[in-house]
Amino acid sequence: MLAVVSAGRNDLTSALGAGGHAFQQFATGAEAVKMVPPESGVIVTADEYPKLGPVIDDQLLGQARLKHLRLVVEYPRQVGKLIAGTP
């Protein structure tokens, strides 16, 4: 399964839909990680780029790790304790 975390329709969801790829869309990374089955892919988009990127905290990383999820995070502001600079 593929999940996309975004505030609404964007280039990625448009392309996936146009290509006939099935995916579920979620408003938050926490919701996606909770709802998807183990070994799924989760793409977290940077809806407000270049202002603020998504934050993936230690708790969310731990939950994703337990479910063996594949996370792709677009322009993250923070992943765990790692804080990124300005894109």
Side-chain angles (χ1 to χ4, degrees), residues 6-87:
S6 69
R9 191 167 178 86
N10 58 30
D11 291 347
L12 175 61
T13 59
S14 295
L16 288 170
H21 300 284
F23 67 95
Q24 283 189 288
Q25 193 164 350
F26 296 93
T28 68
E31 180 185 14
V33 167
K34 178 181 177 183
M35 299 301 291
V36 300
E39 300 184 6
S40 294
V42 178
I43 300 173
V44 182
T45 63
D47 289 324
E48 297 183 38
Y49 176 83
K51 293 180 183 177
L52 298 173
V55 173
I56 307 298
D57 62 22
D58 286 330
Q59 182 178 359
L60 189 62
L61 281 175
Q63 292 167 345
R65 188 175 298 120
L66 287 174
K67 291 179 79 173
H68 303 279
L69 301 179
R70 290 171 221 90
L71 292 178
V72 176
V73 185
E74 180 182 42
Y75 298 109
R77 180 173 31 160
Q78 181 177 342
V79 177
K81 293 180 179 27
L82 177 65
I83 298 174
T86 305

